Every structure is written in C-alpha cells, then in structure tokens.
Amino acid sequence: MSKNRGRGLQANALGTFDTIVMAVAGSAPAYSLAATTAVLLGAVGLAGPAALLYCAIPMLGIALAFSYLGRIDVNAGASYSWVGRTLHPFLGFISGWALVVSATIFMVAGSLPAGAMTLALVDPDLADDTALATVVGAAWFLVMLCVVLGGARLTVRAQLVMSGVELAVLAVFAAGALLHDGNARAFSWSWLGLGGFDGVSGFASGALIAAFYYWGWDVTSNLSEETRNSRRTTGLAGLVGVGIVFLLFEAFTIAVNVILTDRQIQDSGANVLGALGEEIWPGWGGKLIVVAVMLSTIATLETTLIQVTRSLFAMGRDRTMPSALGRVHRRWNTPWVAIVVVGAVALAMFVTSNALGSVGDILADAIAAIGLQIAVYYGLAGLAVVVAYRKMLLKSPANFLFGGLWPLVGAAFMFWVFVESLGELSAPSVAIGIGGIAAGLLPMLWYWGQGSDYYRPARLDATRVVEAEYIPDGHAGAAAVAGTRGHEGLPTDF
C-alpha cells in the first residue's frame, strides 16, 4: 500500500523517555484541567472523578489497541493506515480525517487559551479580550510551527522544558491539596461511583468530555517512523502516558470537589484550576497555575501539530490527499508542505474565531465537537486490532485480553458514547463534529477515483509479521534497500 516516494522522516530521532514525554504532553494535563473542568462540572457536577475513571478503563483498551497495531505496522498515519488495512480503506480515511479535523479545530481551542493565559500573567482583565487573546495565541502557534518544522529532536527538547516545568508545578499543587485544611466539603467515595450521573445520557455526556481530557497520548504513534525501536516504544509510551495523566486528572478533580465551594466554582468560570491554585496558595498560587496552564497549552499545540502534519504526510504519501503533503524537507526531515498548509488554515480560523463569541463559548462547542471525532477514530482503531489479531487471540490469555477483549470494550464504549451524546449536545457542537467528518467524503471519493494504491491495500494480519523479520536499531537503512512490499510491518520510510 505504501511505497517509498522520496525522502522519509528522520529515523531513530526519539527514544523511550522522549516518547513518554510526548505522550504526557499530548494529553496536556494542566490545559485539560483548566479548559475542561468547568465543562465537566457543568455536565456531571461532583461526579467528575467518576467520569474520568470510567472513561480511563476503555481508554486504556484503545491505548492497548494502538500498542498492538504499532507492533505490526509502523506508519506515521497510525489509525489511518491500520483501519484502512483491516476494516476498509474508506473507514481508514475517515479515521485519519477525523484526527486531522479534530486537531485543526484544536488549533483554535488551544491557541485562544494560550493567548489568554499569557495575557493573564500581565493583567487578568486582558484575558477576556478574545481579539487580543487570538493575536497572542496566534503568535505562540507560529513559534510552535517553527519548532515542529525544525525536526523531531528540536521538538522533544522544547517539550522537555515546557512539560518538565508544568508537571513540577502540578506535583507541588497536588501535594498542597492534600495538606489543605479549609475544605468546602468532605471527600466522598460516591464521587467515584455511577450513582452521581443524571441517567445514561448524563453519563455519556460526561464520558465524551472525559475523552477530550485524555486525547493526545496517541501522538507517539504518529511519531513511530521517527522513534527508535518503535514497535515496542510507541505503544509503551502511550500506555504510560495515559496512566500518568489519569492520576493527575483524578487528583485535581477530587481536589476541586473538596476545596472549592459551589459559588467559587461558578464564579471562576473557565478558570477553575486558577481558583484552586489561589485557594491552596493565596497570592502566588493562581499565577503559578497560570504558568503551568500556559506551558501545557503551548506544549500540546506542538504535539497536535505533529499529529495532524504526520497524518497529512501519510495521506499525501499514499495519494489520498494532494501528493505535495508527502514532501519532506531536505535539511530538517519534516513534512514541510503539510506544516505550512496546517499553519495557513489555522491562522485563517484564528481570524474567523473573533466573530464566534467569547473564549469560553468557543471552548465549550469545540471540546464537545472534538470529543465526537475522537470517539470515531479511537473506536475504529479498537475494532482494527481485533481484526488484525483475530487468528492469534486464542493462542494466549494475554492476546485475548489485551489484544482482543479490552480493545473491543474500548471501541464499543467509544461508539456508544458517540451515539448517546448526540441528543445532549448543542447544535453547533454536533454541526462541527459531524460536519467536519462528513467533509472528508469529498477528498476520499475524489482520490479513490484517481486510483490511489491506498484503496487497494495489502491486508494487515498479525500472523504474517514474525519476530525474525524485525530489523533492529542501527540497521534502519536496510529497510529502504529491501523495500516495503516484502514485509508489511516494516517502517515505510526507514
């Protein structure tokens, strides 16, 4: 399906620690908490910790699916390639398109808070100025665009700094929350139970928002062609990343329930995390949290850029989108055309966003819309791994549980949440979420008619990829010499 068409991405640029950092940065713990906690509390109230817990279980199933699929097909397109080679090329394209659209929407949903948080450090009143926040956020976006253009090694160095400071600040405040004595309400185990939801639809709404919290760890799979020993590393990093952010999400959501009163939560609006920081450490707490959120937002802009540009690179290479998107810069080994195109589209969306309302309004609609798109491509990946490993599932209990049952439960959960939440979401959220996916039908049908090899795939079957065929680190160039048709699991551009 994927032939070498010109230069490839920079092989062996990232190691295990680097990819774990990218997984955590992709989920953006501080940003997710700051941008989404108010939305989650509005949907499920004190049951926020339960929504995050019961979404984490199927999310781990999806992370297992990505891990197992990454062992047999190393491809920057990730679910775009896997779903296309197991279920159907049309579904594979929709999977990749859903990621591209959700990531592009996030350029607005993420860049506006980046600008707002930066302004808040200067003057809190400026943070509510949508136009000014858009300008500052666009500036941060352009900086991250240049970093991503500079290559995988530069990207991970920037992440080490930003995510390192972010996680250090969050750890300090998590410890401070445990020692805080002026609690608004006593901890209750009911916050982790199913009884706090307003029926099935209420649970589905909470789970859809929780999916947005976790989204982004799968950037490790989009970096697989640039990672050492990627068959093991990318999947492991994704699982570790989900585990780390789950602990952070639970700790801070429970802390909000315990420490902040209903009035404080209501008055803080979209800045619930800042209110929590101010309560834990009066005076400096709010500012430190703002710094953590700002760095987290900028960091996740970077990982989201990687996801969308690597996905478009894979599509351009397969000629399911304009082939120019598959071009790689001679010096930096990055998909520069895809990066420039994404940058131009995102900047146009920044300008348009000025007419859409306040930062809070834009975030609420965007988060719900992205949640729908996440559910689609995560759910399809969960089904894809079961098909790819179907002949091996009964060979061991581990294969059955981790490569079959758990990912299948994750897929079923994602599709159920998608269907159940449709009736609860606002019309703009549904229009953005469904309309964005439907827009992919046009390029899909056009390039299918043009005869792209992607629509005549070599089927992905785990039984046909044996350990002996694996090319170890240090011999990556041999894959390019040997070609890719002889072994479907080898990196297409190493």
Side-chain angles (χ1 to χ4, degrees):
M1 177 187 67
S2 297
K3 296 178 180 178
N4 285 324
R5 296 187 175 93
R7 294 175 60 84
L9 302 172
Q10 185 177 6
N12 299 323
L14 307 178
T16 303
F17 180 73
D18 300 329
T19 50
I20 291 174
V21 170
M22 296 301 286
V24 174
S27 291
Y31 166 77
S32 297
L33 286 163
T36 320
T37 298
V39 182
L40 183 64
L41 292 175
V44 299
L46 296 177
L52 289 165
L53 171 62
Y54 295 114
C55 187
I57 296 170
M59 187 63 72
L60 280 172
I62 302 302
L64 285 167
F66 273 70
S67 176
Y68 271 72
L69 288 166
R71 297 177 190 180
I72 57 176
D73 181 23
V74 178
N75 192 297
S79 61
Y80 155 79
S81 174
W82 304 331
V83 173
R85 296 178 64 187
T86 53
L87 303 181
H88 194 279
F90 284 3
L91 292 176
F93 184 88
I94 290 299
S95 180
W97 182 261
L99 187 154
V100 168
V101 173
S102 59
T104 304
I105 293 172
F106 181 79
M107 300 306 169
V108 173
S111 295
L112 283 172
M117 292 297 104
T118 304
L119 292 171
L121 291 175
V122 179
D123 183 352
D125 292 335
L126 293 176
D128 293 327
D129 187 330
T130 302
L132 190 58
T134 300
V135 172
V136 177
W140 276 122
F141 174 76
L142 288 173
V143 171
M144 289 300 100
L145 198 74
C146 293
V147 171
V148 171
L149 184 63
R153 288 195 175 97
L154 177 61
T155 299
V156 79
R157 286 170 186 162
Q159 281 294 354
L160 286 171
V161 174
M162 293 185 291
S163 297
V165 174
E166 172 199 356
L167 292 177
V169 172
L170 290 180
V172 167
F173 278 93
L178 289 174
L179 300 175
H180 192 269
D181 53 4
N183 298 334
R185 56 182 71 83
F187 170 78
S188 172
W189 286 106
S190 65
W191 298 342
L192 297 170
L194 291 171
F197 298 103
D198 184 18
V200 173
S201 60
F203 173 72
S205 298
L208 189 73
I209 297 166
F212 179 81
Y213 272 81
Y214 292 106
W215 177 55
W217 54 265
D218 50 306
V219 66
T220 60
S221 296
N222 297 107
L223 285 166
S224 60
E225 295 185 28
E226 299 156 89
T227 304
R228 292 190 296 276
N229 194 15
S230 62
R231 295 171 182 280
R232 181 190 68 88
T233 302
T234 56
L236 173 64
L239 288 165
V240 172
V242 172
I244 291 173
V245 297
F246 164 72
L247 294 175
L248 287 171
F249 292 155
E250 285 294 334
F252 276 88
T253 309
I254 290 173
V256 167
N257 283 0
V258 170
I259 295 173
L260 298 183
T261 63
D262 292 337
R263 174 55 65 86
Q264 286 176 305
I265 293 172
Q266 184 176 356
D267 291 345
S268 62
N271 192 29
V272 174
L273 198 61
L276 179 66
E278 190 67 32
E279 188 68 26
I280 293 173
W281 190 355
W284 281 96
K287 290 187 179 296
L288 279 177
I289 285 290
V290 168
V291 170
V293 173
M294 182 186 73
L295 290 174
S296 179
T297 309
I298 297 167
T300 198
L301 274 179
E302 185 184 80
T303 59
T304 308
L305 274 167
I306 289 172
Q307 283 197 284
V308 68
T309 55
R310 267 44 173 192
S311 296
L312 288 174
F313 162 76
M315 290 174 163
R317 182 175 59 190
D318 291 338
R319 293 185 300 113
T320 58
M321 290 285 280
S323 59
L325 296 172
R327 293 178 186 169
V328 174
H329 196 279
R330 287 187 172 276
R331 179 179 177 184
W332 299 316
N333 292 102
T334 51
W336 68 273
V337 175
I339 292 171
V340 170
V341 169
V342 169
V345 172
L347 287 175
M349 291 178 67
F350 292 156
V351 175
T352 305
S353 69
N354 278 311
L356 296 180
S358 69
V359 174
D361 293 338
I362 294 170
L363 278 178
D365 289 336
I367 287 169
I370 290 172
L372 290 173
Q373 292 153 2
I374 294 168
V376 168
Y377 87 85
Y378 276 175
L380 288 173
L383 292 180
V385 72
V386 177
V387 175
Y389 280 83
R390 64 191 181 280
K391 299 176 183 176
M392 300 178 64
L393 294 181
L394 299 180
K395 290 187 176 182
S396 74
N399 277 0
F400 178 76
L401 177 60
F402 301 126
L405 181 60
W406 203 337
L408 186 61
V409 169
F413 181 84
M414 293 297 167
F415 291 134
W416 174 80
V417 166
F418 178 91
V419 173
E420 282 291 328
S421 60
L422 285 177
E424 300 295 316
L425 298 179
S426 66
S429 295
V430 175
I432 294 170
I434 304 299
I437 295 174
L441 296 175
L442 296 176
M444 181 182 74
L445 294 173
W446 171 261
Y447 284 99
W448 173 57
Q450 296 297 307
S452 168
D453 286 348
Y454 177 82
Y455 295 104
R456 297 187 298 274
R459 306 303 295 179
L460 190 59
D461 188 342
T463 58
R464 298 170 62 184
V465 183
V466 295
E467 193 68 29
E469 290 178 299
Y470 178 73
I471 294 180
D473 293 342
H475 298 79
V481 176
T484 61
R485 282 287 185 181
H487 178 6
E488 296 170 8
L490 290 179
T492 55
D493 280 330
F494 275 20

Tab-separated table of all heavy atoms in Angstrom, residues 181-220:
chain	number	residue	atom	x	y	z
A	181	ASP	N	-6.431	22.547	54.615
A	181	ASP	CA	-7.340	22.221	55.723
A	181	ASP	C	-8.682	22.939	55.656
A	181	ASP	O	-9.626	22.563	56.352
A	181	ASP	CB	-6.670	22.538	57.073
A	181	ASP	CG	-6.141	23.956	57.139
A	181	ASP	OD1	-6.362	24.714	56.161
A	181	ASP	OD2	-5.509	24.308	58.152
A	182	GLY	N	-8.810	23.965	54.806
A	182	GLY	CA	-10.075	24.695	54.739
A	182	GLY	C	-10.996	24.128	53.684
A	182	GLY	O	-11.260	24.773	52.668
A	183	ASN	N	-11.485	22.918	53.897
A	183	ASN	CA	-12.244	22.225	52.859
A	183	ASN	C	-13.703	22.684	52.789
A	183	ASN	O	-14.341	22.946	53.806
A	183	ASN	CB	-12.196	20.718	53.105
A	183	ASN	CG	-10.778	20.184	53.034
A	183	ASN	OD1	-9.927	20.772	52.365
A	183	ASN	ND2	-10.523	19.079	53.715
A	184	ALA	N	-14.229	22.744	51.572
A	184	ALA	CA	-15.627	23.125	51.351
A	184	ALA	C	-16.555	21.961	51.631
A	184	ALA	O	-17.688	22.137	52.066
A	184	ALA	CB	-15.809	23.613	49.922
A	185	ARG	N	-16.097	20.744	51.375
A	185	ARG	CA	-16.908	19.544	51.615
A	185	ARG	C	-15.982	18.356	51.857
A	185	ARG	O	-14.837	18.355	51.411
A	185	ARG	CB	-17.856	19.272	50.440
A	185	ARG	CG	-17.186	19.131	49.112
A	185	ARG	CD	-18.196	18.906	47.978
A	185	ARG	NE	-18.978	20.080	47.674
A	185	ARG	CZ	-18.564	21.067	46.871
A	185	ARG	NH1	-17.353	21.008	46.313
A	185	ARG	NH2	-19.314	22.099	46.618
A	186	ALA	N	-16.476	17.370	52.563
A	186	ALA	CA	-15.672	16.180	52.875
A	186	ALA	C	-15.626	15.253	51.670
A	186	ALA	O	-16.577	15.173	50.878
A	186	ALA	CB	-16.267	15.451	54.071
A	187	PHE	N	-14.487	14.550	51.535
A	187	PHE	CA	-14.359	13.591	50.440
A	187	PHE	C	-15.431	12.513	50.553
A	187	PHE	O	-15.778	12.058	51.643
A	187	PHE	CB	-12.975	12.938	50.475
A	187	PHE	CG	-12.844	11.771	49.536
A	187	PHE	CD1	-12.652	11.978	48.177
A	187	PHE	CD2	-12.947	10.468	49.999
A	187	PHE	CE1	-12.546	10.906	47.301
A	187	PHE	CE2	-12.841	9.387	49.136
A	187	PHE	CZ	-12.634	9.610	47.785
A	188	SER	N	-15.969	12.096	49.408
A	188	SER	CA	-16.980	11.045	49.385
A	188	SER	C	-16.650	10.034	48.294
A	188	SER	O	-16.336	10.417	47.160
A	188	SER	CB	-18.367	11.655	49.123
A	188	SER	OG	-19.329	10.634	48.925
A	189	TRP	N	-16.710	8.757	48.639
A	189	TRP	CA	-16.472	7.699	47.652
A	189	TRP	C	-17.549	7.687	46.573
A	189	TRP	O	-17.358	7.120	45.493
A	189	TRP	CB	-16.411	6.333	48.344
A	189	TRP	CG	-15.141	6.118	49.107
A	189	TRP	CD1	-14.974	6.134	50.457
A	189	TRP	CD2	-13.837	5.869	48.545
A	189	TRP	NE1	-13.667	5.928	50.792
A	189	TRP	CE2	-12.939	5.736	49.641
A	189	TRP	CE3	-13.343	5.736	47.255
A	189	TRP	CZ2	-11.578	5.500	49.455
A	189	TRP	CZ3	-11.993	5.495	47.070
A	189	TRP	CH2	-11.129	5.378	48.151
A	190	SER	N	-18.673	8.341	46.856
A	190	SER	CA	-19.741	8.396	45.850
A	190	SER	C	-19.303	9.162	44.599
A	190	SER	O	-19.882	8.986	43.532
A	190	SER	CB	-20.989	9.050	46.442
A	190	SER	OG	-20.758	10.410	46.763
A	191	TRP	N	-18.284	10.015	44.756
A	191	TRP	CA	-17.784	10.754	43.597
A	191	TRP	C	-17.157	9.822	42.555
A	191	TRP	O	-16.981	10.210	41.403
A	191	TRP	CB	-16.740	11.779	44.021
A	191	TRP	CG	-17.262	12.829	44.959
A	191	TRP	CD1	-18.563	13.155	45.189
A	191	TRP	CD2	-16.479	13.673	45.804
A	191	TRP	NE1	-18.645	14.158	46.123
A	191	TRP	CE2	-17.382	14.500	46.524
A	191	TRP	CE3	-15.121	13.830	46.040
A	191	TRP	CZ2	-16.950	15.452	47.446
A	191	TRP	CZ3	-14.685	14.778	46.948
A	191	TRP	CH2	-15.593	15.577	47.649
A	192	LEU	N	-16.819	8.616	42.974
A	192	LEU	CA	-16.220	7.642	42.069
A	192	LEU	C	-17.210	6.556	41.652
A	192	LEU	O	-16.837	5.612	40.960
A	192	LEU	CB	-14.998	6.992	42.733
A	192	LEU	CG	-13.832	7.942	43.053
A	192	LEU	CD1	-12.801	7.239	43.930
A	192	LEU	CD2	-13.184	8.447	41.770
A	193	GLY	N	-18.465	6.696	42.071
A	193	GLY	CA	-19.474	5.695	41.742
A	193	GLY	C	-20.332	6.123	40.563
A	193	GLY	O	-20.212	7.242	40.035
A	194	LEU	N	-21.216	5.246	40.145
A	194	LEU	CA	-22.087	5.518	38.997
A	194	LEU	C	-23.371	6.249	39.382
A	194	LEU	O	-24.123	6.676	38.518
A	194	LEU	CB	-22.445	4.199	38.301
A	194	LEU	CG	-21.290	3.495	37.579
A	194	LEU	CD1	-21.723	2.095	37.137
A	194	LEU	CD2	-20.846	4.314	36.362
A	195	GLY	N	-23.635	6.386	40.684
A	195	GLY	CA	-24.894	6.961	41.127
A	195	GLY	C	-24.984	8.463	40.974
A	195	GLY	O	-26.075	9.031	41.110
A	196	GLY	N	-23.879	9.129	40.698
A	196	GLY	CA	-23.897	10.582	40.615
A	196	GLY	C	-24.301	11.145	39.268
A	196	GLY	O	-24.417	12.367	39.109
A	197	PHE	N	-24.521	10.279	38.287
A	197	PHE	CA	-24.866	10.743	36.947
A	197	PHE	C	-26.375	10.870	36.782
A	197	PHE	O	-27.145	10.120	37.388
A	197	PHE	CB	-24.321	9.780	35.889
A	197	PHE	CG	-22.824	9.661	35.890
A	197	PHE	CD1	-22.205	8.561	36.452
A	197	PHE	CD2	-22.041	10.670	35.360
A	197	PHE	CE1	-20.820	8.451	36.466
A	197	PHE	CE2	-20.659	10.569	35.357
A	197	PHE	CZ	-20.044	9.461	35.915
A	198	ASP	N	-26.776	11.814	35.952
A	198	ASP	CA	-28.189	12.025	35.664
A	198	ASP	C	-28.621	11.078	34.547
A	198	ASP	O	-28.824	11.474	33.395
A	198	ASP	CB	-28.420	13.482	35.272
A	198	ASP	CG	-29.891	13.783	35.043
A	198	ASP	OD1	-30.742	12.989	35.512
A	198	ASP	OD2	-30.193	14.796	34.377
A	199	GLY	N	-28.728	9.803	34.879
A	199	GLY	CA	-29.148	8.814	33.898
A	199	GLY	C	-28.050	8.442	32.920
A	199	GLY	O	-26.908	8.889	33.017
A	200	VAL	N	-28.419	7.618	31.945
A	200	VAL	CA	-27.462	7.112	30.955
A	200	VAL	C	-26.931	8.236	30.082
A	200	VAL	O	-25.734	8.304	29.786
A	200	VAL	CB	-28.137	6.028	30.078
A	200	VAL	CG1	-27.217	5.611	28.940
A	200	VAL	CG2	-28.507	4.813	30.928
A	201	SER	N	-27.816	9.134	29.674
A	201	SER	CA	-27.378	10.224	28.801
A	201	SER	C	-26.414	11.157	29.524
A	201	SER	O	-25.470	11.681	28.923
A	201	SER	CB	-28.584	11.009	28.286
A	201	SER	OG	-29.315	11.564	29.368
A	202	GLY	N	-26.649	11.359	30.834
A	202	GLY	CA	-25.743	12.189	31.624
A	202	GLY	C	-24.357	11.572	31.718
A	202	GLY	O	-23.339	12.262	31.615
A	203	PHE	N	-24.318	10.249	31.892
A	203	PHE	CA	-23.038	9.552	31.928
A	203	PHE	C	-22.322	9.664	30.589
A	203	PHE	O	-21.106	9.884	30.527
A	203	PHE	CB	-23.249	8.083	32.289
A	203	PHE	CG	-22.005	7.249	32.192
A	203	PHE	CD1	-20.992	7.387	33.121
A	203	PHE	CD2	-21.843	6.342	31.164
A	203	PHE	CE1	-19.836	6.626	33.040
A	203	PHE	CE2	-20.697	5.576	31.060
A	203	PHE	CZ	-19.690	5.708	32.005
A	204	ALA	N	-23.068	9.527	29.491
A	204	ALA	CA	-22.468	9.616	28.157
A	204	ALA	C	-21.876	10.996	27.916
A	204	ALA	O	-20.780	11.127	27.343
A	204	ALA	CB	-23.510	9.285	27.086
A	205	SER	N	-22.583	12.041	28.350
A	205	SER	CA	-22.071	13.403	28.178
A	205	SER	C	-20.775	13.593	28.943
A	205	SER	O	-19.808	14.188	28.439
A	205	SER	CB	-23.109	14.423	28.655
A	205	SER	OG	-24.287	14.340	27.893
A	206	GLY	N	-20.737	13.082	30.180
A	206	GLY	CA	-19.529	13.180	30.983
A	206	GLY	C	-18.374	12.404	30.380
A	206	GLY	O	-17.228	12.864	30.372
A	207	ALA	N	-18.679	11.219	29.841
A	207	ALA	CA	-17.639	10.382	29.248
A	207	ALA	C	-17.064	11.029	27.991
A	207	ALA	O	-15.865	10.931	27.717
A	207	ALA	CB	-18.203	9.009	28.919
A	208	LEU	N	-17.912	11.714	27.196
A	208	LEU	CA	-17.439	12.382	25.987
A	208	LEU	C	-16.462	13.501	26.351
A	208	LEU	O	-15.417	13.673	25.699
A	208	LEU	CB	-18.622	12.952	25.212
A	208	LEU	CG	-18.295	13.493	23.819
A	208	LEU	CD1	-18.026	12.347	22.850
A	208	LEU	CD2	-19.446	14.356	23.301
A	209	ILE	N	-16.789	14.243	27.390
A	209	ILE	CA	-15.887	15.308	27.845
A	209	ILE	C	-14.603	14.705	28.412
A	209	ILE	O	-13.500	15.212	28.166
A	209	ILE	CB	-16.589	16.187	28.905
A	209	ILE	CG1	-17.799	16.884	28.281
A	209	ILE	CG2	-15.626	17.212	29.486
A	209	ILE	CD1	-18.742	17.501	29.291
A	210	ALA	N	-14.737	13.605	29.153
A	210	ALA	CA	-13.560	12.945	29.717
A	210	ALA	C	-12.626	12.450	28.611
A	210	ALA	O	-11.400	12.465	28.769
A	210	ALA	CB	-13.986	11.786	30.611
A	211	ALA	N	-13.200	12.017	27.488
A	211	ALA	CA	-12.371	11.565	26.366
A	211	ALA	C	-11.484	12.694	25.868
A	211	ALA	O	-10.332	12.463	25.467
A	211	ALA	CB	-13.252	11.035	25.230
A	212	PHE	N	-12.000	13.923	25.909
A	212	PHE	CA	-11.183	15.065	25.498
A	212	PHE	C	-10.014	15.273	26.454
A	212	PHE	O	-8.923	15.668	26.034
A	212	PHE	CB	-12.038	16.328	25.434
A	212	PHE	CG	-11.269	17.561	25.051
A	212	PHE	CD1	-10.986	17.821	23.721
A	212	PHE	CD2	-10.814	18.445	26.012
A	212	PHE	CE1	-10.261	18.955	23.346
A	212	PHE	CE2	-10.089	19.573	25.654
A	212	PHE	CZ	-9.819	19.832	24.321
A	213	TYR	N	-10.236	15.042	27.753
A	213	TYR	CA	-9.144	15.141	28.724
A	213	TYR	C	-7.959	14.279	28.274
A	213	TYR	O	-6.818	14.723	28.260
A	213	TYR	CB	-9.590	14.609	30.085
A	213	TYR	CG	-10.249	15.588	31.021
A	213	TYR	CD1	-11.588	15.926	30.906
A	213	TYR	CD2	-9.536	16.150	32.069
A	213	TYR	CE1	-12.206	16.789	31.791
A	213	TYR	CE2	-10.141	17.018	32.975
A	213	TYR	CZ	-11.466	17.333	32.827
A	213	TYR	OH	-12.072	18.189	33.712
A	214	TYR	N	-8.251	13.029	27.938
A	214	TYR	CA	-7.180	12.063	27.660
A	214	TYR	C	-6.591	12.229	26.258
A	214	TYR	O	-5.443	11.854	26.025
A	214	TYR	CB	-7.715	10.632	27.802
A	214	TYR	CG	-8.061	10.269	29.215
A	214	TYR	CD1	-9.398	10.178	29.619
A	214	TYR	CD2	-7.077	10.028	30.155
A	214	TYR	CE1	-9.731	9.850	30.917
A	214	TYR	CE2	-7.400	9.702	31.472
A	214	TYR	CZ	-8.727	9.617	31.847
A	214	TYR	OH	-9.053	9.302	33.132
A	215	TRP	N	-7.350	12.745	25.342
A	215	TRP	CA	-6.937	12.793	23.945
A	215	TRP	C	-5.554	13.404	23.773
A	215	TRP	O	-5.228	14.410	24.390
A	215	TRP	CB	-7.955	13.611	23.148
A	215	TRP	CG	-7.592	13.792	21.704
A	215	TRP	CD1	-7.307	12.817	20.805
A	215	TRP	CD2	-7.495	15.037	21.002
A	215	TRP	NE1	-7.051	13.369	19.564
A	215	TRP	CE2	-7.159	14.730	19.668
A	215	TRP	CE3	-7.668	16.373	21.372
A	215	TRP	CZ2	-6.975	15.716	18.700
A	215	TRP	CZ3	-7.505	17.356	20.405
A	215	TRP	CH2	-7.160	17.015	19.089
A	216	GLY	N	-4.749	12.798	22.909
A	216	GLY	CA	-3.441	13.349	22.566
A	216	GLY	C	-2.281	12.417	22.836
A	216	GLY	O	-1.211	12.562	22.248
A	217	TRP	N	-2.455	11.425	23.739
A	217	TRP	CA	-1.361	10.497	24.054
A	217	TRP	C	-0.921	9.725	22.808
A	217	TRP	O	0.233	9.297	22.712
A	217	TRP	CB	-1.798	9.498	25.136
A	217	TRP	CG	-3.063	8.761	24.793
A	217	TRP	CD1	-4.335	9.097	25.174
A	217	TRP	CD2	-3.198	7.606	23.961
A	217	TRP	NE1	-5.246	8.222	24.628
A	217	TRP	CE2	-4.582	7.291	23.888
A	217	TRP	CE3	-2.290	6.793	23.280
A	217	TRP	CZ2	-5.063	6.213	23.153
A	217	TRP	CZ3	-2.774	5.719	22.541
A	217	TRP	CH2	-4.138	5.433	22.492
A	218	ASP	N	-1.811	9.554	21.846
A	218	ASP	CA	-1.502	8.755	20.651
A	218	ASP	C	-0.584	9.469	19.666
A	218	ASP	O	-0.276	8.927	18.600
A	218	ASP	CB	-2.795	8.327	19.947
A	218	ASP	CG	-3.752	9.484	19.703
A	218	ASP	OD1	-4.084	10.175	20.680
A	218	ASP	OD2	-4.164	9.700	18.558
A	219	VAL	N	-0.099	10.671	20.020
A	219	VAL	CA	0.921	11.322	19.191
A	219	VAL	C	2.150	10.436	19.051
A	219	VAL	O	2.876	10.514	18.054
A	219	VAL	CB	1.307	12.698	19.796
A	219	VAL	CG1	1.994	12.531	21.139
A	219	VAL	CG2	2.209	13.469	18.833
A	220	THR	N	2.383	9.546	20.024
A	220	THR	CA	3.542	8.650	19.943
A	220	THR	C	3.457	7.758	18.705
A	220	THR	O	4.483	7.444	18.094
A	220	THR	CB	3.648	7.774	21.200
A	220	THR	OG1	2.455	6.980	21.336
A	220	THR	CG2	3.809	8.629	22.447
